[in-house]
Amino acid sequence: MSLSTITALSPLDGRYAAKLSALRPIMSEHGYMHRRVQVEVAWFIALSDAGFAEFKPLTTGARAYLLGLVKNFSETDSAAIKDIEKTTNHDVKAVEYWLKGKFEARPELEKAAEFVHFACTSEDINNTSHALQLRSGRDQVVLPGLDRIVLKLREMAHMYAAVPMLSRTHGQTASPTTVGKELANVVVRLQTACERVASVKMLGKMNGAVGNYNAHLSAWPDFDWEAFSKRVVETPEPLGLGLTFQPYSIQIEPHDYMAELFDAVARANTILIDLSRDIWGYVSLGYFKQKLKAGEIGSSTMPHKVNPIDFENAEGNLGLANALLKHLSEKLPVSRWQRDLTDSTVLRNIGVALGYAALAYTSLMTGLNKLELNEEALSDDLNASWEVLAEPIQTVMRRFGVPGAYEKLKEVTRGKTVTADALHGLIRSLEIPEAEKERLLAMTPGSYIGKAAELARRV
């Protein structure tokens, strides 16, 4: 069976392949190979500038050629590395051999070929490559996806800032809010979550087999290898990696920053699960209608249905993403002694975890863009819920010292169908200033929204 979008084992590379085109070049094995070549080239060029008599500084032409290998790295190059790996059975060594192969017929580079991967352990290349992948995946896919949702929700919060809506604490009628204010709540939460995702520093180490520069010092005992390594890791691209230096490690970088990043993304995803379920519920109540799409079918037997499938897809894929992100954050910081290989296969699924998240963000945006507010349904619910005014009435009663205010309102409203006439009769009987009676009599469920509109417009 040939591999295609309908034979792919993963739906990310099958059914949903087209929706993940931005993430695939970054987080695929091709993206991993690309970053490995980038790291090897950066290390090689830096070694030429270290002042060693045995490796003179590279010429401008040689540098441009090497940086061109990184800039123009293609799927054909990845395939060539994979062919080498069939012999080496070692993926990093295959990258090294591929790069040395690119030195043929270039005497300057051929002479210095043994400085490719010099004193490095495979993890020096891998951990920095993963950091580069994660930075690109976060900055180019994850955060832009979240930012689009924030912008859409802010737009809706402002648009519906003053549209009153019945609240439902514990699923029961409660003090009214506005549609905009409820969306503003999510905007503020999501902004904070995005800031945490963006603030995670991507760490890299290049310190040898067990983190002590053993091989490095065996070659040049008097050279400051730690400072050199830090310079390569932290120098901006393309001559460096533009990461944050990790000074202490075993053979592998500890992955604590990865756990921090994955937990931060998962927190953002949890907020969106909450949003997806709430919007699903509001669609069910009729508060929102969904724009129809020509030719689309909601049910194989019930032709009237317009299902909230985008919010359901988002919720499901966010759950998958978080399940993987949780495992990644719990497993990756744990390694037996100076290194075991359990992290290696797990790390290959980073793209899968972020892929499900990116897919969910797309579904959620599609769903949000389909929504149309049904103000009639919102108004009908409010007009049928006069009992929510028991709160302001008893609060005013308390202000003016009316004894048993809460108990009196509880007797009139709890578990009963409350009408405007019943409440107005109670208000007129109260021993409170006439102006306060008039204010309460003018109040409706739809006008009892506190600062909701103001708060919604503030985000």
Side-chain angles (χ1 to χ4, degrees):
M1 182 180 290
S2 61
L3 181 63
S4 69
T5 55
I6 58 172
T7 61
L9 187 61
S10 166
L12 296 181
D13 291 318
R15 184 179 184 89
Y16 306 124
K19 296 181 179 180
L20 295 168
S21 58
L23 188 65
R24 193 169 288 108
I26 300 169
M27 300 306 303
S28 62
E29 186 167 13
H30 165 66
Y32 193 20
M33 292 288 192
H34 189 184
R35 295 310 180 188
R36 282 164 157 170
V37 171
Q38 178 184 351
V39 173
E40 292 280 14
V41 166
W43 184 256
F44 182 76
I45 292 175
L47 283 170
S48 83
D49 291 330
F52 302 135
E54 295 83 353
F55 190 8
K56 301 296 184 182
L58 293 167
T59 62
T60 301
R63 292 167 193 264
Y65 174 73
L66 291 169
L67 294 175
L69 292 177
V70 178
K71 183 178 180 181
N72 301 314
F73 190 80
S74 67
E75 291 181 44
T76 301
D77 294 322
S78 284
I81 293 172
K82 292 297 289 183
D83 283 341
I84 297 171
E85 188 184 345
K86 292 175 183 177
T87 300
T88 63
N89 198 31
H90 195 287
D91 49 1
V92 177
K93 204 66 178 175
V95 172
E96 177 188 341
Y97 288 169
W98 176 85
L99 188 56
K100 286 180 176 178
K102 292 294 182 179
F103 291 1
E104 291 180 7
R106 293 180 176 272
E108 178 186 0
L109 295 177
E110 284 183 315
K111 182 180 178 182
E114 289 310 309
F115 285 97
V116 174
H117 201 71
F118 183 83
C120 290
T121 185
S122 295
E123 268 304 299
D124 288 338
I125 311 304
N126 289 345
N127 88 94
T128 46
S129 295
H130 282 130
L132 291 168
Q133 283 183 287
L134 282 171
R135 184 177 64 192
S136 294
R138 176 190 66 181
D139 295 350
Q140 296 177 33
V141 179
V142 173
L143 284 174
L146 290 170
D147 287 343
R148 283 190 287 272
I149 294 171
V150 170
L151 287 172
K152 180 62 179 178
L153 292 174
R154 182 183 291 114
E155 174 190 308
M156 294 173 69
H158 293 170
M159 185 183 303
Y160 305 135
V163 178
M165 182 181 84
L166 187 67
S167 293
R168 280 182 164 79
T169 58
H170 308 282
Q172 310 300 308
T173 57
S175 301
T177 181
T178 69
V179 177
K181 170 55 168 50
E182 296 314 294
L183 294 171
N185 293 338
V186 183
V187 170
V188 173
R189 293 176 68 194
L190 202 53
Q191 281 179 316
T192 300
C194 288
E195 288 168 5
R196 288 172 179 158
V197 172
S199 68
V200 177
K201 294 180 180 179
M202 305 296 179
L203 272 58
K205 71 96 185 178
M206 299 192 77
N207 53 16
V210 291
N212 301 326
Y213 305 95
N214 304 46
H216 308 67
L217 290 168
S218 71
W220 278 283
D222 299 324
F223 187 72
D224 190 345
W225 283 104
E226 184 177 14
F228 175 79
S229 178
K230 181 177 181 180
R231 188 161 60 250
V232 174
V233 169
E234 295 195 340
T235 296
E237 298 175 283
L239 293 178
L241 305 179
L243 304 171
T244 298
F245 182 62
Q246 169 62 276
Y248 285 86
S249 78
I250 49 176
Q251 184 173 109
I252 62 172
E253 198 283 327
H255 302 324
D256 295 329
Y257 86 88
M258 288 190 183
E260 183 182 355
L261 176 65
F262 299 147
D263 286 342
V265 174
R267 283 197 294 274
N269 291 348
T270 298
I271 293 167
L272 295 180
I273 289 173
D274 193 24
L275 172 68
S276 296
R277 291 177 179 174
D278 278 358
I279 297 291
W280 185 96
Y282 292 140
V283 171
S284 180
L285 290 172
Y287 288 1
F288 287 107
K289 297 178 181 179
Q290 298 178 97
K291 296 175 185 175
L292 299 179
K293 185 177 180 181
E296 201 170 73
I297 293 171
S299 167
S300 60
T301 60
M302 295 174 281
H304 66 282
K305 296 191 76 178
V306 184
N307 297 326
I309 56 173
D310 299 301
F311 300 101
E312 293 168 342
N313 285 343
E315 180 184 342
N317 286 312
L318 289 165
L320 278 169
N322 278 9
L324 288 166
L325 291 168
K326 180 180 179 181
H327 178 67
L328 289 165
S329 69
E330 289 180 349
K331 188 275 153 295
L332 290 177
V334 179
S335 182
R336 294 176 183 85
W337 295 342
Q338 283 70 49
R339 204 265 195 275
D340 70 45
L341 206 61
T342 54
D343 70 316
S344 179
T345 189
V346 173
L347 283 165
R348 293 183 185 275
N349 289 278
I350 291 173
V352 180
L354 297 183
Y356 279 114
L359 180 61
Y361 304 159
T362 299
S363 294
L364 192 52
M365 274 300 296
T366 300
L368 291 172
N369 284 323
K370 285 183 182 178
L371 294 179
E372 293 180 334
L373 197 64
N374 184 359
E375 293 194 44
E376 183 180 352
L378 289 160
S379 180
D380 287 346
D381 263 5
L382 285 164
N383 290 335
S385 304
W386 281 82
E387 66 271 16
V388 299
L389 296 185
E391 180 185 55
I393 295 170
Q394 62 99 2
T395 304
V396 173
M397 291 168 67
R398 287 183 176 214
R399 172 188 169 186
F400 292 102
V402 178
Y406 178 86
E407 288 72 20
K408 288 180 181 180
L409 266 297
K410 177 182 174 183
E411 184 179 342
V412 173
T413 62
R414 191 166 192 259
K416 298 178 181 180
T417 300
V418 179
T419 65
D421 288 343
L423 285 179
H424 288 171
L426 175 63
I427 292 168
R428 291 188 180 99
S429 71
L430 297 176
E431 294 183 3
I432 61 175
E434 197 63 31
E436 293 300 319
K437 286 186 183 181
E438 293 302 321
R439 190 166 63 86
L440 290 175
L441 287 168
M443 191 177 291
T444 67
S447 68
Y448 181 52
I449 58 172
K451 287 170 63 79
E454 177 189 337
L455 291 168
R457 293 188 179 101
R458 191 187 296 171
V459 297

